[in-house]
Amino acid sequence: MAGGGFVGADGGAHHYGGGGVTFSVVVTSLMAASCGLIYGYDSGVTGGVTQMDSFLSKFFPEVQSGRKSARSDPYCKYDNQWLTAFSSSLFIAAALSSLVASRVTKKIGRQAIMLLGGAMFLAGSIVNAAAANIAMLIVGRMILGFGLGFTLQAAPVYLSETAPPKWRGAFTSAYNTFVVIGILSATITNYFTNRIPGWGWRVSLGLAAAPGVIIIVGAFFVPDTPSSLVLRGHPDRARAALQRIRGHHADVDAEFKDIVRAVDEARQNDAGAYRRLFSKEYRHYLAVGLAIPVFYQFTGMIVISVFSPVLFRTVGFNSQKAILGSVINSITNLVATVLSTFVMDRTGRRFLFIIGGIGMMICEVAISWVMAGHLGKHQGVTMQRSYATGVLVLICMCTFSFGLSWAPLRWVVPSEIYPVEIRSAGQAISISVALCLGFAELQVFIALLCAMKYGVFLFYAGWLLIMTIFMAAFLPETKGVPLEAMQSVWTRHWYWKRFVRDTKQGSQINNVNNN
């Protein structure tokens, strides 16, 4: 298969050696993407466990008794800061560890970071399953968070650095596919363990060890990325790794030279990566790299993902049906994510961001309207079953829009836009901002639901309007562009071109391997 070439902003050629989608790159990418199981299982298991009677009676008896009170506000049944801390503490630990991981990655590589993250997740799951008090729960959750922070730092960038440029979106979004598989696995687990009186929650939390073991085993079978190996002074191993993932018959000489040249430039500017990230020269990378994780948190979907069983209990479903509703929602998410994998590298990133944002906005306005008109009305603290089912359908529609767009693209775009000299720092900043906001959002969501009631979904819908306009105006299209030639998309953008150092702003990307 012929190789491809791009003319970058500097007028130089950037090459891709071809070789197609090989068995090696598929296996390697699947192993790395399986790190998403950690994030997904934890997100899925938490919301189900927090509304289980066996879990609440053990750790939060006041929530269980208050929930059964006929005089309780339907929006405030789960308003307990320690209960939300159980969910959110993982995210603040993950934010801290992701910053540490960015520096450690330069020393030991992305493969070792994934291995370390899997080991921490395994340890945290054991502590949670054996928890005898709230303190043990929080400690276990923070150990899980450290593992999550390490894998979040390594896996998406690993995928973007090894995938063929033409299909980088599909390969990188595989991480999100495994996130959704983890969520679905957790909700199905909760559905069955909820029937076990007294200790069913221990099984749900303890089975988080399974994705930890998968990551540990998988990390032993994948090589480090060529860029990471070159950066750590192993050019021979880097070339062998590139040849392996591109195929034995592919000509990788030109692509390898591009990688070496990019890494050499990175070494010359190695000191002060975080400082340079905030300079004018890199302002366009930082703006988009931060906007995506910030907006991602304000889609409202992270709280729907984690607290969907709680929301379904709030509108009137019993515990088993609330978890079943989460299973249906997770299946919807998986279908949308798989569909996104097939269309992302054809439609482009911007189109999916816009379509997904509009879809979520309409659904969240509709959810707010239904809850405003029917929750707590008609002499009841919940709502009529037909309207509760309507909320379930709307949440599934919202999740479908999310799974098609923001869910996978949240990982794809930040992992591909940064140049190699600031890639680890940029990824660390993006992840840390997202995790810090995730911590804050999960910690306050139940309180917001209690205070703002149905208006909380209008709050998220307003943010969706803002972020959709931003993506339409300020996100350059990156599909099919090699990482080493990514500067070219910024030089052609109507706004960001003023921040690009190179003055050859009118250069065009010539992709000779489009088809």
Side-chain angles (χ1 to χ4, degrees):
M1 179 178 179
F6 287 77
V7 176
D10 56 0
H14 298 268
H15 303 86
Y16 167 59
V21 178
T22 64
F23 176 77
S24 179
V25 77
V26 170
V27 172
T28 300
S29 297
L30 286 176
M31 288 294 186
S34 63
C35 289
L37 290 171
I38 288 178
Y39 194 4
Y41 188 90
D42 181 81
S43 298
V45 78
T46 304
V49 166
T50 53
Q51 59 83 51
M52 287 184 181
D53 290 332
S54 59
F55 179 78
L56 292 175
S57 63
K58 172 70 175 177
F59 298 104
F60 305 98
E62 67 279 9
V63 175
Q64 186 181 30
S65 59
R67 189 184 62 185
K68 296 178 179 179
S69 174
R71 293 180 296 177
S72 64
D73 188 328
Y75 290 97
C76 302
K77 293 178 180 179
Y78 296 90
D79 187 15
N80 181 288
Q81 288 301 298
W82 281 110
L83 180 60
T84 52
F86 165 71
S87 302
S88 63
S89 56
L90 174 139
F91 285 83
I92 195 64
L96 295 174
S97 67
S98 68
L99 289 174
V100 175
S102 69
R103 297 183 180 275
V104 179
T105 298
K106 292 183 178 181
K107 302 293 184 181
I108 65 175
R110 307 195 194 287
Q111 176 198 27
I113 286 293
M114 290 189 289
L115 178 62
L116 184 59
M120 288 184 175
F121 202 80
L122 175 61
S125 64
I126 294 173
V127 173
N128 269 172
N133 50 52
I134 296 177
M136 282 189 70
L137 282 177
I138 301 299
V139 169
R141 295 286 292 173
M142 295 189 73
I143 296 174
L144 290 171
F146 292 139
L148 176 62
F150 278 109
T151 56
L152 279 176
Q153 166 66 24
V157 176
Y158 184 103
L159 289 164
S160 70
E161 289 183 345
T162 56
K166 186 176 181 180
W167 302 107
R168 188 174 58 248
F171 277 88
T172 309
S173 65
Y175 180 87
N176 188 70
T177 301
F178 276 91
V179 170
V180 178
I181 291 173
I183 293 172
L184 179 59
S185 301
T187 52
I188 292 174
T189 299
N190 286 337
Y191 182 77
F192 289 104
T193 59
N194 190 43
R195 300 179 180 183
I196 303 175
W199 51 273
W201 61 271
R202 293 189 186 274
V203 179
S204 290
L205 296 180
L207 283 178
V213 171
I214 291 174
I215 303 309
I216 293 172
V217 174
F220 283 109
F221 291 93
V222 297
D224 213 337
T225 68
S227 294
S228 179
L229 288 168
V230 172
L231 192 62
R232 291 186 290 121
H234 304 291
D236 293 337
R237 290 173 56 192
R239 195 187 189 288
L242 183 62
Q243 188 74 66
R244 175 182 173 184
I245 61 179
R246 295 289 181 253
H248 294 298
H249 301 293
D251 181 4
V252 300
D253 288 341
E255 183 181 3
F256 183 66
K257 289 178 180 178
D258 285 341
I259 293 172
V260 171
R261 182 167 55 248
V263 171
D264 285 341
E265 292 176 0
R267 283 202 183 102
Q268 295 172 12
N269 300 285
D270 185 60
Y274 284 98
R275 183 179 66 253
R276 289 199 311 279
L277 190 58
F278 288 88
S279 67
K280 182 178 180 180
E281 180 184 349
Y282 295 95
R283 187 173 298 169
H284 46 299
Y285 300 114
L286 182 65
V288 175
L290 287 183
I292 290 176
V294 169
F295 286 148
Y296 173 84
Q297 299 302 324
F298 286 103
T299 60
M301 294 307 299
I302 186 173
V303 293
I304 289 178
S305 175
V306 174
F307 289 127
S308 57
V310 173
L311 287 173
F312 294 144
R313 287 298 297 269
T314 298
V315 299
F317 292 106
N318 63 32
S319 183
Q320 278 296 99
K321 290 184 178 179
I323 296 177
L324 180 60
S326 295
V327 172
I328 295 172
N329 192 48
S330 298
I331 293 173
T332 303
N333 196 359
L334 181 59
V335 171
T337 298
V338 172
L339 178 61
S340 178
T341 299
F342 285 101
V343 304
M344 181 183 303
D345 290 304
R346 293 178 172 85
T347 63
R349 283 54 158 159
R350 289 177 68 254
F351 176 79
L352 290 182
F353 268 127
I354 294 168
I355 293 298
I358 293 172
M360 285 187 286
M361 181 172 57
I362 293 173
C363 290
E364 290 186 8
V365 170
I367 292 170
S368 179
W369 177 76
V370 173
M371 294 181 74
H374 301 281
L375 183 58
K377 310 293 183 180
H378 312 293
Q379 292 78 47
V381 295
T382 57
M383 65 171 62
Q384 294 178 358
R385 180 55 54 86
S386 59
Y387 290 106
T389 303
V391 170
L392 170 61
V393 172
L394 286 169
I395 286 179
C396 287
M397 292 173 62
C398 193
T399 297
F400 183 86
S401 299
F402 177 69
L404 190 65
S405 58
W406 277 87
L409 291 172
R410 154 69 183 92
W411 308 109
V412 173
V413 177
S415 69
E416 66 186 5
I417 61 172
Y418 292 110
V420 67
E421 68 267 19
I422 59 168
R423 190 170 296 156
S424 290
Q427 182 77 349
I429 290 291
S430 295
I431 290 173
S432 297
V433 168
L435 291 171
C436 286
L437 287 174
F439 162 75
E441 190 175 10
L442 290 176
Q443 187 64 33
V444 305
F445 173 71
I446 299 298
L448 281 178
L449 183 64
C450 182
M452 299 177 65
K453 304 185 185 307
Y454 60 86
V456 70
F457 290 100
L458 293 178
F459 169 76
Y460 289 127
W463 275 103
L464 281 164
L465 177 61
I466 294 171
M467 66 183 70
T468 300
I469 294 173
F470 180 91
M471 290 300 162
F474 295 107
L475 181 69
E477 185 52 64
T478 58
K479 72 168 184 174
V481 182
L483 296 183
E484 292 75 26
M486 193 60 69
Q487 187 186 40
S488 301
V489 302
W490 303 94
T491 64
R492 298 184 300 117
H493 191 272
W494 70 273
Y495 181 76
W496 298 121
K497 63 184 180 182
R498 70 188 65 183
F499 297 105
V500 181
R501 180 174 56 186
D502 200 303
T503 58
K504 296 179 180 179
Q505 300 171 352
S507 62
Q508 299 292 322
I509 296 177
N510 298 314
N511 184 356
V512 300
N513 194 34
N514 271 333
N515 300 311

